[in-house]
Amino acid sequence: MKFCSECGGPVSQAIPEGDDRLRHVCRQCGYIHYQNPKVVAGCIPEWEGRILLCRRAIEPRHGYWTLPAGYMENGETTTACAARETLEEACAQVEIGPLFSFLNIPHISQIYLIYCGKLLEKQYAPGYESLEVRLFDFSDIPWNELAFPAIRKTLELYRQDRANHRLRVHSGDILKREGRPGDPHFRITSQEISGTD
Amino acid sequence: MKFCSECGGPVSQAIPEGDDRLRHVCRQCGYIHYQNPKVVAGCIPEWEGRILLCRRAIEPRHGYWTLPAGYMENGETTTACAARETLEEACAQVEIGPLFSFLNIPHISQIYLIYCGKLLEKQYAPGYESLEVRLFDFSDIPWNELAFPAIRKTLELYRQDRANHRLRVHSGDILKREGRPGDPHFRITSQEISGTD
């Protein structure tokens, strides 16, 4: 951020009075530009025990496989976002179920919220952000070609829960390890859900 | 948003190619400025069956009572945010427990995440955003002087769960009713947690 979105003046980093961290502050009008984490919502679209994955047509991770998921828009809910992203990336209609994984990724200032999902019919096609969309058995999931750690961890937990015939909700943090960029540390709590009303 | 934070050029609203909604787009350099919902995280600090509330020293809702909660910062997790806000607003150290309520508020583009919390000692004081901080029995909570619907709903659910001796996790949406600004519609699912590992 170089210019103020309110007055067009020059912006520099400073700690405002009463604050304790650096912010982008306009040197002309004094406006403080806060920056906050972004929420990514998506789902695990299932059809007869198989999972729908999308191969990315965009950066980052072009060509790698992922679950349909994307940034929440202003004015929408997390479940609406998960359904919209599935429609946009996989041209598929889903019924969004319970929350499955809730993962903080502080080093990139993101929160991932991935819901259980049920394909309403066996119809899907690549949207404009996907090269290819395909249903996978758990044994065929391309584990080494998944786009993001949050997606790989979510799919591993889902495979495990399905094998144990109990879906849980998994929440926690994905932390960067110093000097080991490809090898994040997972700190996750898994809770069983026993009843809903 | 009137000016581009990248080049200082004039910004206007337009639907970018391949998109389907209005964005703030720079007429000079073409940069698209996306806007996304903000996450508010906080906790229900409990001490021997009583709840710590803060009376707000800032707008909006100056003078009204609330749970310690605030906007997540870049680089932090939701639980770290909940603990930080409790320290800032109530000068109190808490141990953050399981997630209690997870509420989308789409008409103001916010998500509330409120955790169970345990005061580590009976020590608290108003931080710079609070006029007053006090422990309340459930019967004494100032129900008509609470700052926000998400806080009132969270405290109602918590009182109910405590009375039933079972804490659940409550997720859903707070929706605005047309023409009835003070009377939102709650669409909430409550799930019992039976085991953690």
Side-chain angles (χ1 to χ4, degrees), chain A:
Chain A
M1 167 166 280
K2 304 182 196 88
F3 299 93
C4 177
S5 56
E6 296 302 304
C7 78
V11 162
S12 59
Q13 297 214 52
I15 300 176
E17 203 189 313
D19 204 337
D20 61 358
R21 61 190 79 200
L22 284 170
R23 309 284 181 189
H24 290 98
V25 181
C26 178
R27 294 207 298 270
Q28 188 167 282
C29 75
Y31 194 94
I32 304 167
H33 298 274
Y34 295 97
Q35 291 180 321
N36 304 93
K38 286 189 171 51
V39 176
V40 173
C43 78
I44 309 171
E46 199 176 316
W47 178 264
E48 296 179 353
R50 289 188 293 163
I51 305 300
L52 195 69
L53 297 180
C54 308
R55 202 152 71 84
R56 291 172 63 84
I58 52 171
E59 293 296 347
R61 305 292 278 162
H62 183 283
Y64 286 79
W65 291 91
T66 190
L67 289 166
Y71 289 124
M72 264 185 95
E73 298 280 1
N74 273 356
E76 84 181 345
T77 64
T78 43
T79 51
C81 174
R84 176 182 55 72
E85 291 287 345
T86 308
L87 190 60
E88 285 178 9
E89 298 180 0
C91 304
Q93 302 271 0
V94 280
E95 182 186 309
I96 299 297
L99 184 63
F100 182 74
S101 65
F102 164 32
L103 300 170
N104 282 282
I105 317 178
H107 61 275
I108 53 172
S109 297
Q110 290 186 353
I111 300 177
Y112 265 71
L113 293 163
I114 306 290
Y115 288 84
C116 298
K118 205 189 292 181
L119 277 189
L120 294 180
E121 45 188 350
K122 197 185 169 187
Q123 281 209 341
Y124 50 85
Y128 68 96
E129 292 182 1
S130 304
L131 296 169
E132 186 183 354
V133 175
R134 208 200 297 175
L135 281 174
F136 287 92
D137 286 316
F138 285 108
S139 53
D140 295 332
I141 286 175
W143 295 102
N144 294 321
E145 292 162 53
L146 295 176
F148 307 110
I151 298 299
R152 198 183 70 232
K153 179 52 79 175
T154 295
L155 285 169
E156 284 171 4
L157 291 164
Y158 197 77
R159 174 179 59 173
Q160 189 183 321
D161 279 12
R162 276 289 182 224
N164 294 328
H165 305 287
R166 50 163 203 183
L167 286 181
R168 298 171 298 170
V169 59
H170 307 270
S171 58
D173 309 327
I174 300 183
L175 304 170
K176 196 177 172 176
R177 294 193 189 190
E178 281 310 314
R180 295 164 72 181
D183 186 18
H185 173 59
F186 296 92
R187 190 168 61 189
I188 292 175
T189 303
S190 301
Q191 296 177 301
E192 242 171 291
I193 303 294
S194 67
T196 292
D197 59 55

Side-chain angles (χ1 to χ4, degrees), chain B residues 58-70:
Chain B
I58 52 170
E59 293 296 348
R61 306 292 279 163
H62 183 282
Y64 286 79
W65 293 90
T66 191
L67 289 166

